[in-house]
Amino acid sequence: MVRELKTLSFWRAVLAEVFGTMLLVFSGISASIGNGNSSYPDQEVKVALAFGLAIAVLSQSITHVSGAHLNPAVSLGMLVSCQISVVRAMFYIVAQMLGAVLGSGVVLGVRPEAVDSLGLNKLNGVSLGQAFGIEFLLTLQMVLCFLATSDQRRQGVVGSGPLQWVSLWFWDISFTGCGINPARSFGPALVTLKFENHWVFWAGPLCGGAVAAVLYDFLLSPRGADFTARLKVWCHGLEALVGESEPLLEGEGGESAQK
């Protein structure tokens, strides 16, 4: 685990998650609060497209750097799927939370004086149990789509996952404001210091992401149950399994990477 922290590519990936999540939250929240007629159906279309297209653009920009998780539920799903190490998952989640706070802070600073909202996720006429179920099921679908479209074992055209996720926002905006991303929910909550029922927007998505990974890896498209290989990935990252090396921060002439 310590060795992964010494690679420059790791810190580039962490920075990409901070920057990417900041832009995602800024774009999505700006769309959700920038229209006075928020009670009309066109608002839901605009917000759903804003989030979906923002993720599509960011995926093209940083997937090769960090994988473009931009969501703690996705990072947890990738961890359960044994495609990233424990330490990478932890740093990614912290980076995503930091990016969400920065993005929310920027929106707070540039929003018009007449707007007093910050796109806070809240329950709209549903109970806590219903909200948990909605967040769980929609995040499960989203992470399942992420795992499937990013699966390098697949052949042929796999489509655009981010654009397919737009349907999730269409469905959920009216009920919970469509969390399905704990970082996106955390940013506005911290900036406004409003954490009422906030646990729902962590518990639902994280449980959904973990279950999606189990379903995909062990039932739908099994990767195998080699515990030793999985332990190597959890401890040292996927590179430990495929045998790739990464120069340490000391330079390529320094100590060679050990796997």
Side-chain angles (χ1 to χ4, degrees):
M1 292 186 183
V2 176
R3 191 168 195 83
E4 190 174 22
L5 293 173
K6 293 181 179 180
T7 60
L8 187 57
S9 64
F10 175 86
W11 293 108
R12 285 179 181 142
V14 171
L15 180 60
E17 288 295 311
V18 174
F19 185 66
T21 309
M22 180 186 73
L23 292 178
L24 170 64
V25 171
F26 172 77
S27 301
I29 292 181
S30 296
S32 66
I33 69 173
N35 191 353
N37 64 340
S38 58
S39 61
Y40 289 84
D42 68 299
Q43 172 73 357
E44 297 185 2
V45 175
K46 184 183 73 170
V47 174
L49 288 175
F51 273 108
L53 293 175
I55 294 177
V57 171
L58 291 167
S59 295
Q60 293 293 325
S61 304
I62 65 172
T63 292
H64 64 292
V65 180
S66 68
H69 294 187
L70 309 176
N71 187 334
V74 172
S75 295
L76 179 62
M78 292 290 282
L79 176 64
V80 174
S81 182
C82 295
Q83 298 189 59
I84 60 174
S85 66
V86 174
V87 70
R88 185 177 290 266
M90 292 173 58
F91 272 83
Y92 271 22
I93 291 173
V94 172
Q96 292 152 5
M97 293 170 63
L98 175 60
V101 172
L102 292 174
S104 301
V106 173
V107 175
L108 181 65
V110 302
R111 69 180 181 179
E113 294 183 0
V115 177
D116 59 0
S117 173
L118 200 63
L120 190 70
N121 286 122
K122 56 185 179 180
L123 310 187
N124 298 318
V126 296
S127 67
L128 286 173
Q130 291 171 329
F132 175 86
I134 291 169
E135 292 290 313
F136 172 85
L137 290 174
L138 293 184
T139 309
L140 187 152
Q141 180 180 343
M142 180 189 67
V143 176
L144 194 64
C145 179
F146 182 94
L147 293 172
T149 54
S150 63
D151 191 344
Q152 297 182 356
R153 298 171 298 168
R154 286 185 66 169
Q155 301 293 327
V157 179
V158 297
S160 175
L163 293 181
Q164 295 166 18
W165 299 344
V166 171
S167 63
L168 304 182
W169 281 281
F170 281 144
W171 197 92
D172 191 25
I173 287 176
S174 298
F175 295 98
T176 66
C178 197
I180 66 174
N181 184 334
R184 175 263 180 271
S185 301
F186 176 77
L190 182 64
V191 170
T192 59
L193 297 179
K194 295 180 180 179
F195 289 94
E196 184 179 3
N197 300 321
H198 185 67
W199 68 269
V200 173
F201 300 103
W202 279 89
L206 291 181
C207 289
V211 171
V214 172
L215 285 174
Y216 188 77
D217 267 15
F218 292 97
L219 293 178
L220 302 179
S221 182
R223 293 179 180 273
D226 186 347
F227 180 76
T228 301
R230 289 178 175 269
L231 187 60
K232 285 183 179 179
V233 174
W234 280 332
C235 292
H236 305 292
L238 191 61
E239 293 81 2
L241 194 61
V242 301
E244 296 179 356
S245 61
E246 169 69 21
L248 301 183
L249 288 175
E250 290 85 348
E252 295 186 8
E255 181 185 0
S256 59
Q258 298 175 359
K259 301 300 180 185

